[in-house]
């Protein structure tokens, strides 16, 4: 699926200092009935964001106008649970391009990279610094530099580097996806299939 | 060089290694269901391409299907549309489709093994995280996202970095009343829900060797709940016995060729794991969860741990207990419950129904308890009837529903109401997983049965003793 290229992102951030945020919270199962990839942002964190009667829960951070931006900062073990890519779509569709946490669940991380959301894993101490900076000033800007693989809290200047697979990095920088790459291996795939015992 | 079981299967499927990048892995079998596939098929359409190997692809309807009156049109228009899309997509691409009412229909991870789609040494993927189930046969099986579903449909390959290797040993024997589900919940409670993230797990030791194939499937199924990419076990006589003669397994000469490969599927003695942990089977008692992730489980006679005894943030812990309306330190035994759910790809196989029936036999369902008994497939359903289990269940005041995922993810009408407690044999107790506001206690079929007849959390061993006394 095509997505916008990612280069350097400078934005304020939305804090969600909760651990083990699972994909059932990010997008509850009842919103998975769609057959197209649109409109998932409206239901991002649906049950934390809205009461059963659809009125907003005032205390939830996405309903607090002080916080905004293209970066979501979550607690440890973000995105555990179901493999639903809809969770990553919802994050992207809502307007986030980057999720920062001190630890990501595997499938969610993969899904993010496949749909154009950059997962940035930082140390627990750095994550804490980000939360503190936002608490001090909700408009505090964070700079995520993909070519450099660094993340900087602009008001304090604190900086950390992060890991990303070079292949995935290249894809992100160019807005490419894996299928284009695989389709070019057609001959290898046909040959492999022919000698495969199973 | 010495290799682990995982290395052997993985390396046999690598088509190409990208320098500093992921590897291109050939996928032998691809299972498809209605929820995570429509956007992938749409992607193929936009690219103007067809499914590369339809004969390696199998489709079923399970996640979003009613468990009653399956012969009638599906009432919810969105669900009906999703089912129709899968049927159309399967027809268009020449993929076998086992829709509602089809004799082979059922939960994707139950029907794979039943029909011999799951075989040792294969690579198997599906857009569902519990694909790890198939690892019980010595396959590398893992859940994927929709972009990856599209990738596999288009090319039969997937790009994946190779996970690290982890071995989990459980030695010794299990005590009476302790099931494979308890073993898995015990391991997760020790490792936490992120303890195996980045790893592919091999289960080894006497406890797993002694388990039936059904039990092994339950354990591998729950690998994802400790964060692992998947879990697997070496195939043995039990494995070959189970798969032999099933519809899609190799036959004749092809079986012999496959057997040569399957015989090699053991971890070499001096192979190295990146991480290894060991437990003793004797230390495990029937388990139950008290919180909102599968790692928050305890032995049923132990109390809920206090915040200082658990890893992770106190605020997160408090939030979880508040959702459940439980207090730290409280006993789990005796807590009143409202619903019981027997089913899912974790515990919806025939052995699970036998275990459940063993306890409720000669007893009655507690009046205030609503019980949903949902077989994992039509074949399981048929076996329940043939073995006479259905009569016993009906006698005890239960009824049987039609197969599907049902209350495991509550996409259909089977939703636990807000605030109600459900003892569930499924795999996730996340907030709202079984319906908005629902409170889930994960446990084995034995614990579920004990709760169903007593109306509260009960140690199943007490009822087992009475039954055998
Ligand atoms: S039963 Fe639950 S976990 Fe299993 S395939 Fe269905 S939804 Fe997924």
């Amino acid at each position: 699926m095509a997505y916008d290229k990612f280069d350097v992102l400078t934005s304020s951030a939305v804090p969600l200092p909760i651990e083990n945020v699972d994909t059932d919270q990010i997008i509850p199962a009842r919103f998975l009935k769609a057959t197209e990839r649109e409109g998932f942002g409206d239901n991002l964190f649906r049950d934390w964001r809205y009461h059963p009667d659809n009125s907003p829960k005032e205390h939830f951070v996405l309903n607090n106008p002080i916080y905004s931006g293209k970066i979501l900062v979550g607690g440890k073990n973000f995105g555990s649970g179901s493999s639903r890519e809809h969770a990553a779509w919802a994050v992207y569709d809502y307007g986030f391009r980057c999720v920062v946490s001190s630890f990501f669940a595997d499938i969610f991380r993969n899904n993010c990279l496949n749909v154009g959301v950059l997962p940035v894993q930082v140390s627990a101490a750095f994550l804490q610094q980000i939360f503190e900076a936002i608490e001090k000033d909700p408009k505090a800007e964070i700079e995520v530099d993909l070519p450099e693989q660094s993340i900087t809290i602009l008001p304090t200047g604190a900086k950390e580097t992060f890991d990303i697979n070079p292949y995935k990095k290249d894809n992100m920088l160019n807005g490419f996806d894996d299928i284009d790459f695989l389709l070019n291996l057609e001959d290898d795939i046909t040959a492999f299939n022919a000698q495969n015992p199973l | 060089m010495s290799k682990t079981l995982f290395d052997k299967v993985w390396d046999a499927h690598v088509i190409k290694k990208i320098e500093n990048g992921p590897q291109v892995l050939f996928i032998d079998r691809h299972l498809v269901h209605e929820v995570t596939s429509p956007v992938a098929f749409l992607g193929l359409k936009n690219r103007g391409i067809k499914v590369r190997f339809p004969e390696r692809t199998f489709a079923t309807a399970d996640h979003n299907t009613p468990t009653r009156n399956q012969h009638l049109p599906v009432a919810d228009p969105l669900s009906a549309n999703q089912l129709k899309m899968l049927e159309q997509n399967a027809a268009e691409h020449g993929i076998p489709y086992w829709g509602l009412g089809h004799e082979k229909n059922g939960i994707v991870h139950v029907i794979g093994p039943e029909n011999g789609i799951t075989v040792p040494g294969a690579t198997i993927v599906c857009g569902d995280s519990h694909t790890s189930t198939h690892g019980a046969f010595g396959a590398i099986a893992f859940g994927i996202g929709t972009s990856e579903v599209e990738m596999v449909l288009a090319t039969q390959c997937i790009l994946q970095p190779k996970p690290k290797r982890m071995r989990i040993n459980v030695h010794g024997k299990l005590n009476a009343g302790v099931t494979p589900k308890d073993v898995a919940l015990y391991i997760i409670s020790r490792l936490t829900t992120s303890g195996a993230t980045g790893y592919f797990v091999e289960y080894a030791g006497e406890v797993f060797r002694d388990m039936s194939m059904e039990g092994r499937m339950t354990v591998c199924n729950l690998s994802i709940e400790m964060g692992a990419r998947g879990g697997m076990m070496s195939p043995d006589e039990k494995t070959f016995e189970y798969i032999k003669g099933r519809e899609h397994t190799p036959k004749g000469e092809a079986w012999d060729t496959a057997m040569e490969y399957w015989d090699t599927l053991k971890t070499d003695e001096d192979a190295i794991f990146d991480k290894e942990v060991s437990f003793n089977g004797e230390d495990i008692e029937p388990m139950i969860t008290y919180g909102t992730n599968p790692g928050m489980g305890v032995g049923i006679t132990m109390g809920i741990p206090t915040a200082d005894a658990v890893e992770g943030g106190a605020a997160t812990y408090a939030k979880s207990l508040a959702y459940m309306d439980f207090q730290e330190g409280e006993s789990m035994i005796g807590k009143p419950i409202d619903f019981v759910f027997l089913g899912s790809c974790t515990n919806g196989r025939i052995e699970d129904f036998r275990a459940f029936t063993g306890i409720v036999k000669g007893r009655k369902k507690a009046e205030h308890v609503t019980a949903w008994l949902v077989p994992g497939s039509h074949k399981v359903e048929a076996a329940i009837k043939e073995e006479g289990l259905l009569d016993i269940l009906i006698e005890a005041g239960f009824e049987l529903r039609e197969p599907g995922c049902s209350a495991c993810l509550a996409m259909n009408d089977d939703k636990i109401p807000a605030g109600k407690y459900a003892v569930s044999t499924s795999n996730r107790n996340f907030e709202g997983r079984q319906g908005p506001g629902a409170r889930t206690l994960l446990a084995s079929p034995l614990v579920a049965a004990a709760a169903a007849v007593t109306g509260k959390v009960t140690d199943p061993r007490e009822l087992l003793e009475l039954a055998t006394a």
Side-chain angles (χ1 to χ4, degrees), chain B residues 36-58:
Chain B
T36 54
S37 69
V39 173
F41 281 109
L42 201 63
L44 293 190
K45 195 176 197 170
N46 292 339
R47 289 174 204 265
I49 53 178
K50 287 277 191 188
V51 171
R52 181 66 184 83
F53 292 107
E55 68 276 20
R56 295 187 173 278
T57 314
F58 302 84

Side-chain angles (χ1 to χ4, degrees), chain B residues 155-172:
Chain B
T155 68
Q156 205 59 40
C157 288
I158 195 165
L159 280 164
Q160 291 283 302
K162 189 174 178 182
K164 291 182 283 183
R165 314 155 193 83
M166 175 169 181
R167 181 156 62 188
I168 299 178
N169 306 289
V170 183
H171 303 294

Side-chain angles (χ1 to χ4, degrees), chain A residues 19 24-25 29 32-34 48 81-83 85 106 111 166-167 177-178 180 182 186 190 192-193 196 198, chain B residues 12 20 26 28 47 52-53 56 76 79 82 128-129 145-147 151 159 193 198 313 411 428 430-431 433:
Chain A
E19 292 173 14
D24 275 88
Q25 308 318 314
L32 309 185
K33 295 185 182 183
W48 285 355
S82 152
S83 62
E85 191 168 302
D106 266 346
N111 286 341
Y167 167 84
D177 77 13
D178 291 340
D180 303 321
L182 288 175
E186 172 56 29
T190 307
F192 188 94
N193 182 60
N196 184 6
L198 296 180
Chain B
N20 290 322
F26 188 85
D28 294 316
R47 289 174 204 265
R52 181 66 184 83
F53 292 107
R56 295 187 173 278
D76 177 65
S79 305
Q82 222 172 34
D128 181 281
S129 50
T146 297
S147 294
M151 215 179 282
L159 280 164
T193 52
M411 262 189 91
R428 285 184 175 146
F430 299 146
E431 286 184 31
R433 169 80 177 186

Side-chain angles (χ1 to χ4, degrees), chain A residues 68-145:
Chain A
S68 64
K70 291 181 183 243
I71 302 172
L72 176 65
V73 189
K76 190 175 95 185
N77 197 23
F78 194 89
S80 60
S82 152
S83 62
R84 60 189 70 160
E85 191 168 302
H86 311 67
W89 299 341
V91 168
Y92 185 92
D93 193 49
Y94 183 87
F96 292 118
R97 292 302 315 278
C98 173
V99 183
V100 181
S101 173
S102 57
F103 196 86
F104 287 96
D106 266 346
I107 303 185
F108 180 75
R109 180 207 297 267
N110 262 342
N111 286 341
C112 281
L113 287 166
N114 282 335
V115 307
V117 174
L118 180 67
V120 173
Q121 185 162 319
V122 296
S123 67
F126 194 80
L127 185 72
Q128 200 46 43
Q129 288 179 33
I130 300 179
F131 283 134
E132 280 163 16
I134 303 173
E135 193 174 302
K136 220 163 152 198
D137 173 14
K139 290 279 157 263
E141 289 204 309
I142 313 268
E143 182 188 273
V144 179
D145 185 328

Side-chain angles (χ1 to χ4, degrees), chain B residues 68-129:
Chain B
R68 273 187 161 156
N69 294 322
Q70 289 186 351
H71 60 289
L72 299 178
V74 173
D76 177 65
L78 289 175
S79 305
N81 182 44
Q82 222 172 34
L83 295 169
K84 202 177 85 209
M85 290 290 288
L86 180 59
E87 189 172 355
Q88 281 174 359
N89 286 327
E92 192 184 326
H93 292 272
I95 299 168
Y97 172 63
W98 304 336
L100 273 190
H102 193 287
E103 53 166 355
K104 288 188 246 172
N105 176 259
I107 303 174
V108 63
H109 310 311
V110 175
I111 64 172
E114 268 178 2
N115 293 287
I117 296 167
T118 308
V119 290
T123 46
I124 303 174
V125 297
C126 171
D128 181 281
S129 50

Side-chain angles (χ1 to χ4, degrees), chain B residues 4 27 54 88 223 229 259 281 334 403 443:
Chain B
T4 66
I27 298 301
Q88 281 174 359
S223 305
R229 203 73 180 87
M259 232 8 220

